[in-house]
Amino acid sequence: MPIPVILDCDPGHDDAFNILLAAAHPAVRLLGITTVAGNQTVEKTTLNARRVCTVAGVEGVPIAAGMARPLYGDGIVARNIHGESGLDGAVFGEPTVPVDGRDAVTFLRDTLRDHPAPVTLVPTGPLTNIATFLRAHPELGGRIERIVLMGGSTGRGNRTPAAEFNMAADPEAADIVLRSGLPVTMIGLNVSHKAPATPDVVARLDALGTPLGRMCTDLLSYVGATYREVFGFPAPPLHDALTVAHLIDPDLITLVRAHVAVELTGAHTRGATVVDLDGVTGAPPNAYVGVDVNVPAFWDLVVDAVRTLSSPAPS
Ligand code: BDR
Ligand code: CA
């Protein structure tokens, strides 16, 4: 049985690839996409989700816009990585895929309430929508199979030396999710940085020779340049795509049980995920935490997804 999934995202180059993986693979049943402010404003991330679905021919998957700012304070964006549009580098026409009339929290409520089986939530942006939903509808917590999120790190951050972007963008929301008691899997920078989109990966996507393959290589070219400039990386990571890849192939990412706390008050460390890998705090584990990834298998999944969506079966 395919895993029923809702993606909660802020596309974003790597979010875009995660949408492709979820839409393409038969192990996943994509029930909907909710968007949130993060890499860019929620207006832009929603437009980008529609753009990606349009180019990939992903129709009939509702896209619902979510929260425009974090639970507290002002939002941040990642213009330095994802550009002014949030998805710079590719050229998009007017999207034909519509936006759902419901806001993200209402869409989550309706879908979790009505779907016959518990649903897996896959957040790959700031956790504002998910935390707001959990606060508004605690009675539906049991309808969540698990939460598989991209965010945090067992080590250093990227938004600050201590904090990863999604956590830094809304630390209070992340704290709510990690203290929710729900089954949480956290895939962070410590794993995603192990799987850069090297030139051979780009060449495989280019060789598909399709408009979608071209969109992918254009996106990788842009984010490759920003990662080189900002972080000095020779090739860019595609953080978010590891979440759905993990759902498709549970052996792909090595997980350990650990307690994860989100730093809310540190002068220099707000948004940091403090991962107790050695159990020194005695705090009971509240998450499965990614620590390693099978890199070739991951890229095979990504390339296969783009190939699948590039040549839809004739109707
Ligand atoms: C995360 O931050 C965003 O810029 C990416 O889309 C990813 O979700 C990586 O830190
Ligand atoms: Ca993201």
Side-chain angles (χ1 to χ4, degrees):
M1 279 287 279
I3 303 165
V5 164
I6 297 174
L7 299 183
D8 180 65
C9 57
D10 61 339
H13 295 67
D14 49 339
D15 304 81
F17 280 83
N18 209 35
I19 292 173
L20 301 182
L21 269 181
H25 205 282
V28 170
R29 173 149 180 232
L30 183 54
L31 301 179
I33 298 170
T34 52
T35 56
V36 67
N39 286 322
Q40 264 297 349
T41 64
V42 72
E43 290 78 15
K44 292 181 181 179
T45 61
T46 306
L47 176 63
N48 290 341
R50 296 172 59 213
R51 285 169 158 167
V52 170
C53 287
T54 299
V55 177
V58 178
E59 291 168 359
V61 174
I63 299 174
M67 305 300 285
R69 52 190 58 80
L71 297 184
Y72 300 99
D74 296 328
I76 54 173
V77 295
R79 187 180 292 107
N80 61 337
I81 300 298
H82 299 276
E84 194 54 51
S85 73
L87 208 50
D88 277 12
V91 177
F92 297 99
E94 191 59 30
T96 55
V97 172
V99 69
D100 197 271
R102 293 164 289 182
D103 64 85
V105 171
T106 304
F107 176 78
L108 286 164
R109 181 202 67 189
D110 291 354
T111 309
L112 267 65
R113 185 191 58 203
D114 298 341
H115 194 71
V119 173
T120 295
L121 302 184
V122 180
T124 59
L127 287 154
T128 321
N129 288 342
I130 306 298
T132 304
F133 171 76
L134 293 178
R135 289 212 294 207
H137 298 290
E139 76 283 3
L140 291 175
R143 306 296 302 157
I144 298 172
E145 176 72 19
R146 55 190 290 225
I147 298 174
V148 178
L149 66 88
M150 190 283 141
S153 171
T154 61
R156 294 176 62 80
N158 57 2
R159 178 68 187 194
T160 72
E164 180 278 333
F165 177 83
N166 291 336
M167 297 287 167
D170 197 340
E172 281 76 16
D175 178 59
I176 288 170
V177 170
L178 278 156
R179 291 196 301 108
S180 66
L182 294 166
V184 173
T185 297
M186 180 183 111
I187 299 170
L189 299 179
N190 55 297
V191 181
S192 63
H193 284 180
K194 294 185 181 194
T198 47
D200 61 301
V201 169
V202 179
R204 289 170 70 189
L205 292 166
D206 193 40
L208 296 175
T210 64
L212 186 63
R214 177 67 190 275
M215 180 195 84
C216 291
T217 55
D218 285 348
L219 292 177
L220 287 175
S221 167
Y222 184 87
V223 81
T226 59
Y227 258 87
R228 211 162 28 246
E229 190 181 315
V230 175
F231 296 114
F233 283 18
L238 270 192
H239 318 276
D240 295 341
L242 289 168
T243 54
V244 169
H246 160 68
L247 292 180
I248 295 168
D249 177 0
D251 295 330
L252 194 84
I253 292 178
T254 309
L255 301 173
V256 298
R257 292 278 288 151
H259 184 267
V260 181
V262 182
E263 178 59 83
L264 299 178
T265 56
H268 306 288
T269 54
R270 182 168 151 77
T273 46
V274 181
V275 183
D276 186 10
L277 288 176
D278 300 318
V280 293
T281 64
N286 59 350
Y288 288 92
V289 178
V291 291
D292 207 356
V293 55
N294 179 337
V295 177
F298 168 64
W299 287 116
D300 284 350
L301 285 178
V302 172
V303 175
D304 284 349
V306 179
R307 184 183 297 116
T308 298
L309 292 171
S310 289
S311 47
S315 53

